[in-house]
Amino acid sequence: MKISAKQKIETRQAILDAAVALIIEKGFRATSMRAIAQQAGVGDATIYNYFPTKEAIFFAYYEDRFAQAAASLQRIEGLDEHSFQERLQAFFEEILHAFLPDREFLQATFHSVFFSIPPNSRELRPIQEPFFATVSAAFAAAREKGEFEDMLFEEIIVRLFWDYCIGIVLYWLKDASERFTATSVLIDKTMDLGCALLRANVATKAYDICSFLFRSHVLARLESMRPGADALKTIVTAFMEGGDGRKSTKR
């Protein structure tokens, strides 16, 4: 019998729900694929048509939750009027809200998912994509409103926000304060600092200082070296003038 797309979605969700419930009840190691299949009401072989391993179920759970948070953010009324900081803080609130019903599940699986494999591994990409897209959109909106100038290393900064998010979730998982007020305060204070640095365009200014020192001292020394250094100087100069997407101004 052919299974409809709707049935596939429902079965997939049943497997995810079963995995969450069993891991909260029994723990990560004591939960088997067979037990998850039985809890979900699917055959022992059927579960592998959806998820090849228990770890794949966990990755799918986090992929869904980050996508849910990104979608919830877009439904906030007046989002376009939010500042960059307000937009990102709202996004982090949506992420924690998405995780809240399954906090015990996160305590059992979060470390194994996000710290057992390299941060740029293909398993993490579907989880990271809605996050990166949301933060990049916040940068684009901030530039349009004149909050930020064009800045170097924006892609790297977006990825640093991912690391920041992982740190916030880890802190939240340990937070015993009432209604997680300590986490809210931490987000407020760290976002204040981070956004102040972004508004000051610290990364670009630091790069300009390093570039100036490099040109003034390293390249000057290369000029005084033997002719064999000319090739190296040419490569370095080309990188400094074009590698960051800007042309230098000769004085």
Side-chain angles (χ1 to χ4, degrees), residues 24-234:
I24 290 174
E25 178 186 350
K26 298 182 178 181
F28 173 79
R29 296 186 181 280
T31 300
S32 66
M33 288 289 278
R34 174 174 289 184
I36 294 171
Q38 291 175 347
Q39 178 88 355
V42 301
D44 292 350
T46 301
I47 191 173
Y48 291 98
N49 293 331
Y50 292 86
F51 302 104
T53 64
K54 186 167 60 174
E55 288 73 19
I57 298 176
F58 304 156
F59 287 119
Y61 168 86
Y62 286 104
E63 179 183 347
D64 287 357
R65 290 299 177 271
F66 274 103
Q68 174 188 331
S72 296
L73 178 71
Q74 296 305 314
R75 291 193 292 269
I76 293 177
E77 186 176 352
L79 181 65
D80 290 342
E81 303 303 318
H82 283 41
S83 68
F84 177 83
Q85 181 171 344
E86 290 169 340
R87 192 171 184 139
L88 281 195
Q89 287 192 223
F91 184 36
F92 292 130
E93 288 172 5
E94 292 294 345
I95 291 170
L96 296 180
H97 180 73
F99 285 147
L100 182 59
D102 307 318
R103 191 164 179 259
E104 292 177 73
F105 173 79
L106 267 73
Q107 290 170 332
T109 63
F110 194 81
H111 193 276
S112 63
V113 169
F114 292 101
F115 293 93
S116 63
I117 59 176
N120 59 346
S121 63
R122 62 181 179 83
E123 291 88 351
L124 285 180
R125 287 174 195 163
I127 301 173
Q128 295 170 327
E129 282 172 1
F131 182 91
F132 291 155
T134 300
V135 177
S136 295
F139 268 108
R143 281 195 303 273
E144 287 182 8
K145 291 188 289 187
E147 284 189 71
F148 298 146
E149 302 173 6
D150 289 340
M151 62 183 70
L152 295 176
F153 317 119
E154 184 175 309
E155 183 177 344
I156 295 174
I157 295 171
V158 169
R159 290 184 173 274
L160 288 175
F161 270 111
W162 169 260
D163 295 333
Y164 169 79
C165 177
I166 297 302
I168 288 295
V169 175
L170 282 174
Y171 185 89
W172 173 73
L173 290 174
K174 300 290 186 181
D175 186 1
S177 63
E178 185 176 358
R179 302 184 68 177
F180 310 112
T181 53
T183 300
S184 297
V185 171
L186 178 65
I187 292 174
D188 287 344
K189 292 185 178 298
T190 52
M191 285 295 295
D192 281 346
L193 174 61
C195 290
L197 293 173
L198 289 173
R199 283 191 292 271
N201 210 354
V202 170
T204 299
K205 291 174 181 177
Y207 179 87
D208 287 342
I209 292 171
C210 293
S211 177
F212 165 74
L213 292 174
F214 193 88
R215 293 173 191 277
S216 300
H217 297 280
V218 177
L219 291 184
R221 287 184 177 276
L222 284 175
E223 288 179 354
S224 65
M225 293 171 64
R226 62 182 182 274
D230 288 347
L232 176 60
K233 179 186 173 184
T234 300

